[in-house]
Amino acid sequence: MSSFSPGFRGRARSLADRLPPGQYPTEQFPVLSAGPTPRVSTDTWAFTITTETGETHSWSWTEMMALPQQETVTDIHCVTRWSKFDTPWRGVSLDAFFEDVETAADFVLAHSYGGYTTNLPLEDLLDGKAWLVHTYDGYPLSPEHGGPARLLVPHLYLWKSAKWVRGLRLSDDDEPGFWESVGYHEYGDPWREQRNWGD
Ligand SMILES: Nc1nc2c(c(=O)[nH]1)N[C@H]1C(S)=C(S)[C@@H](COP(=O)(O)O)O[C@H]1N2
Ligand SMILES: [Mo]
């Protein structure tokens, strides 16, 4: 099954129409990491969703790979102003993980091996808008880019796409993550240029 960014549906859009305000296109794939790259083996890797009542749902690497896999080709936008068009990923829709999760929470704090965190509204992870990805351009995702697996939430600035993601904590309250607590916008919509607090 494939899913495509809105730029691929209907009429072709020009590249300029696909570039959010204040961004420039790049062919490179820069690496932006706030700390050292954690080395996570798929033998010990696990992905855990913890609900607001403390219930946990966990997947080993093998269990995750047994879920339905999707290809997605999408544009990504970093708050440092580079955008990269048509990035090809393979992974599991977040919808598949949430199928059996009972929650009334509105917010998620994603946390990563290495300690990084980022917050998102739960609805921004559902309905085909976000993936846990493990393959980039046909190859296993490199550690520098978040391998063995990272979040991909392409409609928000890329700092929301937590590399080396290990879990999602559901909460009734929106708790700022790593960059959000030092001044990045709590939501981060590139089309509204939500870079910093108050944008
Ligand atoms: N765990 C973790 N995830 C992270 C980061 C990080 O420092 N640690 N940086 C974020 C930022 S600011 C960006 S722009 C993207 C960069 O992804 P890339 O290095 O694959 O380009 O990852 C995001 N996810
Ligand atoms: Mo970033």
Side-chain angles (χ1 to χ4, degrees):
M1 201 177 132
S2 291
S3 57
F4 294 92
S5 73
F8 283 80
R9 272 191 219 112
R11 270 180 314 134
R13 293 162 70 201
S14 73
L15 291 189
D17 286 346
R18 289 164 59 184
L19 197 61
Q23 298 291 112
Y24 66 87
T26 182
E27 299 284 323
Q28 311 297 315
F29 195 170
V31 170
L32 284 116
S33 302
T37 295
R39 303 287 158 162
V40 185
S41 162
T42 55
D43 295 342
T44 53
W45 181 92
F47 179 64
T48 302
I49 296 177
T50 308
T51 72
E52 69 277 24
T53 61
E55 199 176 80
T56 60
H57 302 253
S58 279
W59 293 262
S60 67
W61 188 263
T62 311
E63 290 166 339
M64 180 276 289
M65 291 301 267
L67 294 172
Q69 305 288 315
Q70 291 187 354
E71 311 272 344
T72 188
V73 177
T74 191
D75 301 344
I76 54 178
H77 311 291
C78 175
V79 73
T80 62
R81 299 186 181 274
W82 57 267
S83 290
K84 187 169 171 59
F85 295 135
D86 299 333
T87 60
W89 305 88
R90 183 173 175 79
V92 177
S93 169
L94 268 280
D95 294 309
F97 295 102
F98 277 95
E99 209 153 89
D100 296 323
V101 175
E102 291 228 10
T103 180
D106 289 328
F107 299 102
V108 173
L109 190 67
H111 51 110
S112 296
Y113 291 99
Y116 185 84
T117 54
T118 189
N119 58 307
L120 310 99
L122 176 56
E123 64 177 17
D124 286 82
L125 294 182
L126 303 178
D127 300 323
K129 292 196 288 292
W131 294 263
L132 185 140
V133 290
H134 50 71
T135 298
Y136 179 77
D137 202 12
Y139 291 93
L141 184 60
S142 69
E144 290 72 22
H145 285 298
R150 74 182 295 170
L151 279 189
L152 177 66
V153 192
H155 69 287
L156 299 177
Y157 281 126
L158 201 57
W159 88 77
K160 300 290 183 179
S161 295
K163 303 196 282 189
W164 318 294
V165 68
R166 71 182 302 173
L168 306 176
R169 212 170 292 132
L170 298 167
S171 169
D172 299 328
D173 309 304
D174 196 6
E175 186 191 328
F178 178 81
W179 285 118
E180 294 85 3
S181 63
V182 294
Y184 281 27
H185 196 276
E186 77 275 11
Y187 185 63
D189 179 350
W191 295 97
R192 288 186 278 166
E193 270 209 276
Q194 293 175 335
R195 299 176 192 275
N196 303 300
W197 280 350
D199 283 349

